[in-house]
Amino acid sequence: MNLLREEALVFSAVEDRPTELFPPLLMEAFHGRCIETLKAMVQAWPFVHLPLGDLIDMPHVGPLQAVLEALDALLAQKVQSRRCKLRVLDLHDTGQNFWSMWSGASTHGCSSSRMAQVAEHRSMTKQHLAPFKVFIDLCLKKSTLDNFLTYLLSEMSNVQRLFLSHIHLPAFEKQEQGHVQITSQFLRLLHYRDLHLESPSFLEGCLDQMLRCLMTTLDNLSITNFQLTESDWIHLSQCPNISQLKGLDLRGVRLTDFSPELLHVLLEKVADTLQEPDLSQCGIMDSQLEAILPALSSCSQLRSFSLCGNLLSMAVMEKMLQHTTQVDSGDLSFRGPGPVVLQRCKKEDSV
């Protein structure tokens, strides 16, 4: 209680406090909106996880703002506090009694496995070398972002990688576009370099609504296990934000009855930068691969090209190697339809 009342002393005092004191003190500091105490505790947090989901009380953003400011300062430090082990800001809903249990104010209501996960504070020895992670539950059903998510995303302007995986909607909701609108708002607020969409069924026929909201040029784009419509392909090939792609992952995008001209256009658009295209499990046939070979031959930076799971003849695979003999990229490997790997090494070596 003295630490909460005398916030000016907390920065020097918190380094020497027992580890067991941190959970109850942080809980009290959050409820009492003791800003300086919160900042000091975050920068000396002796656990890997900091689970705040149940403590955040909107619209009072002061405590959350203090935590995020402390994280900014922490990540900017070349040498961290000797006690700090924090690498994960967890904004999940951990359960109503989690903090009461962890702080010692309750004896039930929180699973021991969840507490062990948060309290694992000696498992990382070089925290400053590891990436910092933020976990949050997102609801994409509303047409606008709630206040908490909007505030968090203004504050997280340096996020560069987004994964959206297996987002499914009931059949009666598929005609509504609220899910696309919410995703578009999400994209506008951040500046991504890598965008990964796994089984994004909610984007079928409206991929353009998402792509046109991108604020930066992408380095890597992954759209996997999804059926792109012809309009999706057209918008994808015309999107200005993909002109400098290094990685293009289209695994599981079925191309069995697909006209290859649009893929040809897409490959030509990224020919100067593309390094690692992946067309595994796409149902590509010989005629389709032959149709895009001229575009592949113009990709001067290729390092690898994956075609795993496609039924292709060895004759067409060899023709593909011939079309890339002018690629000046050092080593170039092709992962073919089976376990066989065709690899074209440096020009002076044999194939």
Side-chain angles (χ1 to χ4, degrees):
M1 298 308 297
N2 286 337
L3 287 175
L4 294 176
R5 286 193 296 265
E6 303 293 336
E7 289 196 274
L9 303 177
V10 72
F11 277 94
S12 58
V14 75
E15 284 283 344
D16 300 321
R17 299 303 94 188
T19 298
E20 293 77 11
L21 177 65
F22 276 74
L25 180 59
L26 185 132
M27 186 171 66
E28 293 297 331
F30 235 96
H31 292 324
R33 300 174 197 168
C34 302
I35 302 303
E36 297 305 318
T37 300
L38 282 173
K39 290 181 179 179
M41 295 194 67
V42 168
Q43 294 184 30
W45 191 246
F47 307 101
V48 173
H49 283 67
L50 178 56
L52 295 183
D54 295 322
L55 296 183
I56 295 173
D57 180 21
M58 299 299 288
H60 303 294
V61 299
L64 177 60
Q65 185 175 11
V67 170
L68 296 180
E69 289 177 358
L71 286 176
D72 282 340
L74 182 65
L75 295 174
Q77 295 173 0
K78 294 183 179 179
V79 179
Q80 294 184 359
S81 161
R82 62 181 176 83
R83 298 199 67 174
C84 184
K85 305 294 186 296
L86 181 60
R87 298 314 305 165
V88 177
L89 176 61
D90 191 345
L91 300 177
H92 286 141
D93 183 3
T94 52
Q96 191 172 16
N97 297 319
F98 175 81
W99 273 93
S100 296
M101 179 68 179
W102 198 27
S103 65
S106 174
T107 58
H108 59 84
C110 179
S111 70
S112 58
S113 61
R114 178 65 178 157
M115 291 181 65
Q117 179 189 21
V118 176
E120 184 186 2
H121 62 277
R122 291 187 177 89
S123 62
M124 301 176 70
T125 57
K126 295 184 178 180
Q127 298 81 12
H128 62 285
L129 297 179
F132 194 90
K133 299 180 181 179
V134 178
F135 295 125
I136 183 172
D137 293 318
L138 295 178
C139 177
L140 303 180
K141 292 184 179 180
K142 300 177 182 178
S143 59
T144 57
L145 300 176
D146 59 36
N147 292 335
F148 165 65
L149 188 54
T150 299
Y151 173 77
L152 183 67
L153 297 176
S154 299
E155 294 296 323
M156 295 175 60
S157 59
N158 290 326
V159 172
Q160 296 187 9
R161 181 176 299 170
L162 173 66
F163 289 84
L164 292 178
S165 175
H166 293 88
I167 298 177
H168 299 289
L169 294 172
F172 64 86
E173 291 186 10
K174 291 197 174 183
Q175 299 302 318
E176 300 180 4
Q177 297 302 309
H179 49 284
V180 178
Q181 295 173 12
I182 190 79
T183 307
S184 300
Q185 294 178 57
F186 197 84
L187 287 172
R188 279 196 192 98
L189 292 173
L190 302 179
H191 300 274
Y192 301 108
R193 306 298 298 184
D194 298 346
L195 179 60
H196 302 262
L197 307 172
E198 184 177 0
S199 302
S201 58
F202 68 100
L203 288 176
E204 184 176 354
C206 52
L207 182 63
D208 62 308
Q209 297 184 39
M210 188 172 189
L211 293 177
R212 68 189 178 198
C213 294
L214 293 170
M215 303 297 291
T216 54
T217 301
L218 293 176
D219 289 333
N220 296 285
L221 174 63
S222 174
I223 304 176
T224 59
N225 301 312
F226 180 54
Q227 184 61 54
L228 290 171
T229 65
E230 183 174 350
S231 63
D232 288 333
W233 278 105
I234 293 174
H235 291 298
L236 181 60
S237 62
Q238 294 177 348
C239 179
N241 301 84
I242 68 162
S243 59
Q244 298 180 34
L245 280 183
K246 296 178 181 178
L248 177 62
D249 185 354
L250 298 176
R251 286 172 297 158
V253 176
R254 302 300 296 174
L255 303 178
T256 304
D257 301 318
F258 172 75
S259 176
E261 283 77 13
L262 292 175
L263 180 56
H264 187 284
V265 172
L266 177 59
L267 292 174
E268 283 190 330
K269 186 180 183 69
V270 298
D272 292 337
T273 57
L274 188 63
Q275 297 177 358
E276 298 180 349
D278 191 337
L279 296 178
S280 300
Q281 304 292 337
C282 290
I284 294 177
M285 309 298 289
D286 282 356
S287 59
Q288 294 171 315
L289 182 57
E290 287 185 284
I292 65 172
L293 287 182
L296 279 175
S297 65
S298 66
C299 295
S300 58
Q301 303 299 316
L302 280 185
R303 295 181 179 175
S304 69
F305 182 28
S306 180
L307 287 166
C308 294
N310 296 297
L311 296 177
L312 300 169
S313 67
M314 186 60 68
V316 171
M317 295 291 287
E318 291 174 347
K319 185 180 294 188
M320 180 176 61
L321 287 175
Q322 294 170 4
H323 271 75
T324 57
T325 55
Q326 301 304 315
V327 175
D328 187 15
S329 59
D331 294 343
L332 178 60
S333 64
F334 297 100
R335 294 183 290 278
V340 177
V341 174
L342 298 180
Q343 181 169 3
R344 182 180 62 76
C345 300
K346 293 182 175 62
K347 293 181 179 179
E348 62 271 17
D349 298 332
S350 60
V351 175

